[in-house]
Amino acid sequence: MQNRIGNRPLELICDIDQNIPCALNGDMGRIRQIITNLVNNSIKYTEKGHVKFSVRVLQQKQDKVLLYYEVEDTGIGIRKEDQKVMFDSFQRVDMKKNRRIEGTGLGLTISKNFVNMMGGTIGVESEYGKGSKFYFQIEQGIVDATPISQINYDLRQNSIIDKEAESLFTSPDAHILLVDDNTMNLMVAQDLLKPLQMQIDTAENGRQAVEMVQQKQYDLVLMDHMMPVMNGTEAARAIRALPEPQYQKLPIIALTANAMTDARKEFTDAGMNGFVAKPIIFRNICNEIRKWLPDNLVKEVTPEEARELLSGSSEQENAPDIPEDAHGIFHYKEGLQCCGSESTLLKSIQIFYRTIDRNAKRIEEFLQEDLIEDYTIEVHSLKNSALLIGLPALSEAAGELEAYGTSQNKEALEEKTPPMLDMYRSLKTILLPYIQEEHDQKEVPADTWIAVLDRLHQCMEQFDTDGADEAMEQLEGFEVPEYLKESMEKLRIFVDDVAMEDVINLTTDMIDLLKQKKGGKHHA
């Protein structure tokens, strides 16, 4: 946020009540977006003086706390008649005075909706020409009542591991189906669940999940909510509608960035057994899986074994030697916190980087062709991916567009999509230093290329994503001939997106091309 101030004589102040409990249960993503929207709004309309963000405890019970959040500024202020419509959709008050300022103030409408969803209240007080105060209050559950003033944050990582160790168990005989259309989400979830030692298969959409549960007996399904082809609730209903009795008992857990009351009812109505909010917190998903796995599959571990398993899964390699918070957009540490390990974060950045051009083009095309449902799914996926690797500003922008897409607000989408895509495409430069160069590539004959491409082709036909990843890893060790470079770039994207049909077609074309080149050399 400091970067938005630029060279203006404007001070950003934070005042946090030190009596706030150190660990709370709530919708972190929504609360963060509300705070970001309100602070950014104040910065936008304040030329000098200060913007002050404060949080304090209003009321605390044994297991709940009512928090009051406030953003106060010395900006241009708001007329009394305009204060009544500040949070209404698509309002820009006092257009004459604000004509030099970009944006529409639509973030306020989103903030109001989020606060209402969480059962809170939001409001504004302002004196025209002197400044404004935006505030909201939300009740949150208390996980650890220790005040933040008493926490030694240098020792907190060990404390977090100890807390996670309390939830840990292993289940090497459990067969789990993990369903998500986003390759990064699949990879991060698999990495997060490694300490549980479960056998995990993956599916890229609800329809594929319905097919897979009929081909193999699973003990539990972890199902993303918003997906193309068939979403999570549609898939859950389809599974429950299958005639065999085991499908009525199969535990299905929703993975969702929308943990609001309405969404929870939607999951229950679809026959889902529970949900885990995204970004996934290890302790939460462990508790939910333990709750629904058969007792005979759960193996308890000692605290020492648990700490060893967790420490082993979070070993960190050397991060790229690049300044933190590059350009004020990318936050490496936040990405590391979400991904759990540096190796997973760097792999996720690679996937994100490779798909920027293609995904940005798809978002543009969906909007141009008035395919608003497809557009909304695409920006929803971008919102999650961006947050996952430490791009909160892009995640916020995509989340705002997702809300407009859900409400079919085409006017807002047409205005807000271009600047979001400009930010998205600018990441090609910002993330480039984190893209690992390929080393130790070796030149191999055409027959070797053909054999590995054919194996990749077969793995995709058999829904063997692990085998496909192994084949792709082997291909990455090959020096790529000039005539295959464009195809390899496409292949990386298709494999990252688990676009099975595209991979099957492209590998066929690449094999044909290699055979032609091989034949030409043979006859030369």
Side-chain angles (χ1 to χ4, degrees), residues 452-453 455-457 459 466-476 478:
V452 180
L453 285 168
R455 179 149 49 86
L456 175 58
H457 182 111
C459 286
D466 289 337
D469 287 341
E470 290 173 7
M472 196 66 201
E473 188 174 339
Q474 190 173 353
L475 288 173
E476 294 290 10
F478 298 166

Side-chain angles (χ1 to χ4, degrees), residues 61-160:
K61 302 174 185 176
Q62 185 174 355
D63 60 346
K64 293 184 183 297
V65 61
L66 182 63
L67 291 184
Y68 173 85
Y69 300 79
E70 179 182 291
V71 179
E72 179 258 331
D73 65 58
T74 55
I76 59 178
I78 308 161
R79 298 181 191 274
K80 281 193 178 295
E81 61 269 26
D82 289 332
Q83 292 177 33
K84 299 174 184 177
V85 296
M86 274 304 297
F87 296 99
D88 291 349
S89 181
F90 218 75
Q91 293 290 332
R92 265 291 290 281
V93 301
D94 202 355
M95 292 300 294
K96 183 177 179 181
K97 194 166 189 175
N98 299 339
R99 64 185 180 277
R100 296 178 294 103
I101 300 170
E102 296 180 358
T104 61
L106 292 168
L108 296 179
T109 305
I110 302 299
S111 298
K112 179 182 178 182
N113 290 340
F114 285 167
V115 170
N116 289 342
M117 287 176 184
M118 290 183 281
T121 57
I122 188 169
V124 60
E125 297 174 6
S126 182
E127 185 175 350
Y128 189 63
K130 291 190 176 181
S132 303
K133 179 171 70 177
F134 290 87
Y135 57 88
F136 66 98
Q137 58 187 50
I138 295 173
E139 189 176 68
Q140 295 178 250
I142 297 174
V143 177
D144 186 340
T146 307
I148 58 175
S149 60
Q150 297 179 21
I151 297 297
N152 183 337
Y153 284 95
D154 291 333
L155 300 175
R156 187 154 176 78
Q157 182 59 36
N158 288 335
S159 174
I160 290 171

Side-chain angles (χ1 to χ4, degrees), residues 311-322:
S311 299
S313 69
S314 60
E315 286 180 2
Q316 298 184 358
E317 305 92 32
N318 293 325
D321 186 18
I322 297 173

Side-chain angles (χ1 to χ4, degrees), residues 134-324:
F134 290 87
Y135 57 88
F136 66 98
Q137 58 187 50
I138 295 173
E139 189 176 68
Q140 295 178 250
I142 297 174
V143 177
D144 186 340
T146 307
I148 58 175
S149 60
Q150 297 179 21
I151 297 297
N152 183 337
Y153 284 95
D154 291 333
L155 300 175
R156 187 154 176 78
Q157 182 59 36
N158 288 335
S159 174
I160 290 171
I161 289 180
D162 286 341
K163 287 283 187 186
E164 291 179 343
E166 294 174 6
S167 307
L168 186 60
F169 61 93
T170 61
S171 188
D173 296 324
H175 294 269
I176 307 297
L177 179 59
L178 175 62
V179 190
D180 201 307
D181 63 305
N182 187 305
T183 308
M184 286 169 52
N185 288 343
L186 287 174
M187 182 175 64
V188 171
Q190 286 177 290
D191 189 68
L192 196 68
L193 294 172
K194 271 183 183 176
L196 275 64
Q197 302 176 357
M198 301 182 299
Q199 300 179 47
I200 300 176
D201 294 334
T202 61
E204 64 174 341
N205 59 60
R207 182 181 297 169
Q208 188 182 343
V210 176
E211 294 170 357
M212 290 179 70
V213 298
Q214 295 176 81
Q215 296 165 4
K216 180 175 177 179
Q217 184 173 341
Y218 289 100
D219 300 297
L220 184 140
V221 177
L222 296 170
M223 183 87 72
D224 184 36
H225 181 202
M226 283 190 69
M227 295 181 287
V229 185
M230 179 184 282
N231 68 33
T233 52
E234 291 169 341
R237 286 191 176 93
I239 291 171
R240 296 299 186 221
L242 294 171
E244 291 80 6
Q246 68 264 30
Y247 300 118
Q248 315 310 312
K249 299 177 182 178
L250 175 63
I252 304 174
I253 308 302
L255 302 177
T256 177
N258 182 10
M260 298 302 151
T261 303
D262 289 349
R264 297 181 193 185
K265 184 177 185 304
E266 183 182 356
F267 301 147
T268 303
D269 291 347
M272 295 173 131
N273 300 87
F275 74 92
V276 175
K278 291 181 178 180
I280 298 171
I281 296 172
F282 181 78
R283 186 165 60 251
N284 293 351
I285 198 167
C286 277
N287 290 338
E288 197 67 23
I289 292 173
R290 178 196 287 268
K291 180 178 175 182
W292 294 103
L293 275 184
D295 292 340
N296 64 306
L297 294 178
V298 175
K299 298 184 182 301
E300 301 295 345
V301 294
T302 65
E304 292 74 21
E305 290 171 333
R307 280 191 288 271
E308 185 176 345
L309 284 166
L310 289 168
S311 299
S313 69
S314 60
E315 286 180 2
Q316 298 184 358
E317 305 92 32
N318 293 325
D321 186 18
I322 297 173
E324 191 64 33

Side-chain angles (χ1 to χ4, degrees), residues 333-395:
K333 286 183 179 177
E334 292 189 20
L336 184 59
Q337 187 176 3
C338 288
C339 288
S341 71
E342 285 182 337
S343 62
T344 303
L345 173 57
L346 292 173
K347 287 177 188 174
S348 298
I349 292 172
Q350 295 258 23
I351 294 171
F352 187 92
Y353 179 87
R354 288 173 183 163
T355 56
I356 288 174
D357 290 334
R358 192 207 60 174
N359 289 349
K361 185 178 179 182
R362 286 174 67 173
I363 290 169
E364 281 179 331
E365 289 175 347
F366 286 148
L367 183 58
Q368 289 166 3
E369 296 169 15
D370 211 25
L371 300 171
I372 304 303
E373 184 177 349
D374 293 329
Y375 173 99
T376 304
I377 291 173
E378 196 70 33
V379 293
H380 168 82
S381 179
L382 176 58
K383 176 190 73 174
N384 291 339
S385 298
L387 187 61
L388 203 58
I389 66 170
L391 297 164
L394 178 61
S395 178

